[in-house]
Amino acid sequence: MRYSLCDGSTETRGRTSPDDRAVDLAQRGLRDPRPGTAAGAAAPAAPAAAVKAPRGYTPALAGANFGIYLALLTPVLVSMAFKIQHISPTPEAATASLGLIMGVGALFAMIANPLVGRLSDRTTSRFGMRRPWIVGGVLVGFLSFTLIGLAADVWVVFLGWCLVQASMNGVLAAVNATVPEQVPVTSRGKVSGIVGLTTPLGILGGSFLVNFLADDLARFVVPAAVALVLVLLFAFALKDRVLAEKPADRYTAKQFFGSFVFNPVKHPDFGWTWLTKFLVMFGYAGVATFLPLYLTEKFQLGEQEAITTILICNLASMAAMAISGPIGGILSDRIGKRRPFVAVAGVVMVVGLVVLAFAPSIGVVILGQAIIGFGAGSFMSVDLALATQVLPNPDDTAKDLGVLNIANALPQSIAPAIAPAIIAAGAGTAIGGYAVFYLVGAAVALAGAVLVYRIKGVE
């Protein structure tokens, strides 16, 4: 398969020599699956100066991820819960509507991520493989955020959030698919550590902005506008590949459904990576979504008090992530190991969830959030680097990363969907419904931390 780059140079895949293919696989952190190679043997190392990320790529990538997470996580953290409260007749109706909207919206994210990844792998636009999806997706996302802000009915918010999740997760798939194409495997821990830091920065930025935005429209539109600008800057600066030859096969329904599945028997490391990510993210998924309701119900805080408390929680979480994220990524590169960092990070998150579940005061809630943030920072930074080293096929990078991203999106659908039932069931216990919900999340995340050692191809 032949590609051209924005600078006019070309790259050919599918007709390379065995040594060139081995180097290509090594640069992506993959093992050579061809007959005749030793089972489990790594491909030969690429020359030290063979690949280097383009100048300005990493900060532009970080900026785009920051914008996306700012726009997506501000509603998850604060805006959506209060928006639903404002247009719902009762607190019980608000909890149920919030769970439904977040749950179904995450399903759209789950579908869009691998689908856009697959389509961008096959895109032959003269503007590049990834750029059309990045630009188109962020424009649709901005309009959808505006629709939510203006909505006066729950069903309109529901529709808008589904559009937001589909469009912005498509952007995320296309943006992060450029990492294996632009960054050598020996530097991906550092780059993913920097990108991982954009999540807490997005959380902090959203929490900070909401304190100064009094109405629902501004709470949705302002973060979306920041995302629009930063993503467009990344798209126009990207030295995107242009697919010079159309794929010989047509994109069929079978390939569409294949965008959401993989063979865990044929690619066990990929399967265990997916399951580990799913379980850890399940424990993490419900924390932010229901924190506003947790604070207003358990500690009887008013809306503005809850917003201020969430800001403080996110400051503590971000500070912890700022320490653990880059350190985890850099140390995993230097030591050459990924699994220990992922496992320890998962256990730390479990501890934080337990602390949050039994918090007797706001101060302990903040402590629990800081502990969760410390674990999440290391997990998110190293997890992307690990994922790029277990991809089955270098020609389907975006599709395979999209499949892995289902493990991020699916817990965000399942956890909010089942949360109202768990919270209601736990309401009659001594510790309360939200405590039971957080303990269930802790148990699931612990299973993910343990299962990371089933991945054998990456240390």
Side-chain angles (χ1 to χ4, degrees):
M1 194 173 289
R2 187 176 178 83
Y3 299 86
S4 62
L5 304 178
C6 288
D7 61 7
S9 60
T10 62
E11 177 179 301
T12 302
R13 288 194 202 150
R15 298 183 178 89
T16 56
S17 69
D19 288 342
D20 289 341
R21 177 172 172 79
V23 169
D24 180 64
L25 288 168
Q27 290 168 356
R28 288 168 172 79
L30 301 173
R31 300 183 183 279
D32 195 337
R34 295 169 296 154
T37 59
V51 180
K52 185 178 181 181
R55 179 176 296 180
Y57 169 79
T58 301
L61 175 71
N65 273 271
F66 167 76
I68 294 168
Y69 286 123
L70 176 72
L72 280 175
L73 294 179
T74 301
V76 171
L77 290 165
V78 184
S79 307
M80 187 64 78
F82 290 126
K83 173 73 179 183
I84 298 302
Q85 272 191 341
H86 296 159
I87 59 177
S88 295
T90 65
E92 293 76 18
T95 300
S97 296
L98 181 62
L100 176 65
I101 290 169
M102 290 301 186
V104 177
L107 284 178
F108 277 77
M110 182 185 72
I111 294 171
N113 216 302
L115 177 59
V116 172
R118 168 78 84 169
L119 291 173
S120 71
D121 283 336
R122 303 170 59 87
T123 296
T124 56
S125 167
R126 64 188 179 90
F127 298 107
M129 298 171 64
R130 318 299 181 191
R131 187 177 289 113
W133 298 98
I134 295 171
V135 174
V138 77
L139 290 173
V140 172
F142 177 77
L143 294 175
S144 301
F145 278 115
T146 304
L147 176 66
I148 296 172
L150 293 170
D153 296 301
V154 170
W155 72 266
V156 179
V157 175
F158 177 87
L159 174 63
W161 188 245
C162 290
L163 289 172
V164 162
Q165 286 283 39
S167 58
M168 297 303 287
N169 274 276
V171 174
L172 195 62
V175 166
N176 287 334
T178 64
V179 173
E181 298 169 346
Q182 305 281 342
V183 183
V185 67
T186 53
S187 299
R188 288 181 200 164
K190 178 176 66 177
V191 171
S192 63
I194 294 172
V195 171
L197 190 58
T198 63
T199 301
L201 287 174
I203 291 171
L204 177 61
S207 304
F208 181 78
L209 275 177
V210 170
N211 273 272
F212 300 96
L213 303 174
D215 62 276
D216 288 328
L217 178 62
R219 289 175 180 178
F220 284 91
V221 171
V222 173
V226 175
L228 179 68
V229 172
L230 292 175
V231 170
L232 289 178
L233 287 175
F234 172 81
F236 293 129
L238 176 67
K239 295 182 178 179
D240 198 7
R241 288 181 171 182
V242 175
L243 185 60
E245 296 178 0
K246 291 185 178 181
D249 57 324
R250 297 181 63 185
Y251 189 56
T252 63
K254 181 179 179 181
Q255 288 177 316
F256 169 78
F257 289 109
S259 297
F260 311 104
V261 298
F262 59 92
N263 188 337
V265 176
K266 187 177 179 180
H267 305 289
D269 282 350
F270 190 73
W272 287 116
T273 300
W274 190 99
L275 183 60
T276 295
K277 183 192 289 283
F278 171 84
L279 294 173
V280 174
M281 292 309 298
F282 181 93
Y284 189 67
V287 175
T289 301
F290 290 92
L291 186 61
L293 302 183
Y294 175 53
L295 292 173
T296 55
E297 181 177 308
K298 181 173 181 177
F299 299 101
Q300 289 79 49
L301 299 184
E303 181 173 314
Q304 190 55 48
E305 289 178 305
I307 290 173
T308 302
T309 302
I310 291 169
L311 173 60
I312 297 171
C313 286
N314 290 330
L315 280 169
S317 179
M318 196 218 74
M321 283 178 128
I323 296 170
S324 67
I327 290 177
I330 293 170
L331 286 179
S332 73
D333 280 343
R334 184 167 298 177
I335 298 173
K337 296 181 184 294
R338 310 292 191 196
R339 294 183 304 173
F341 291 91
V342 173
V344 171
V347 171
V348 171
M349 292 171 69
V350 169
V351 172
L353 284 164
V354 173
V355 170
L356 186 61
F358 293 105
S361 65
I362 294 297
V364 179
V365 170
I366 295 170
L367 174 63
Q369 288 286 90
I371 296 171
I372 294 170
F374 191 85
S378 181
F379 179 83
M380 292 175 183
S381 68
V382 182
D383 176 67
L384 178 59
L386 186 152
T388 62
Q389 293 181 242
V390 298
L391 301 181
N393 186 351
D395 287 333
D396 282 333
T397 293
K399 178 263 184 184
D400 292 331
L401 283 175
V403 170
L404 281 174
N405 280 328
I406 292 174
N408 280 333
L410 190 57
Q412 296 174 48
S413 176
I414 295 175
I418 67 174
I422 296 175
I423 293 169
T429 66
I431 60 175
Y434 287 99
V436 171
F437 176 60
Y438 290 137
L439 289 177
V440 169
V444 175
L446 181 61
V450 173
L451 289 177
V452 72
Y453 279 96
R454 297 302 300 268
I455 302 169
K456 303 300 182 185
V458 180
E459 294 187 11

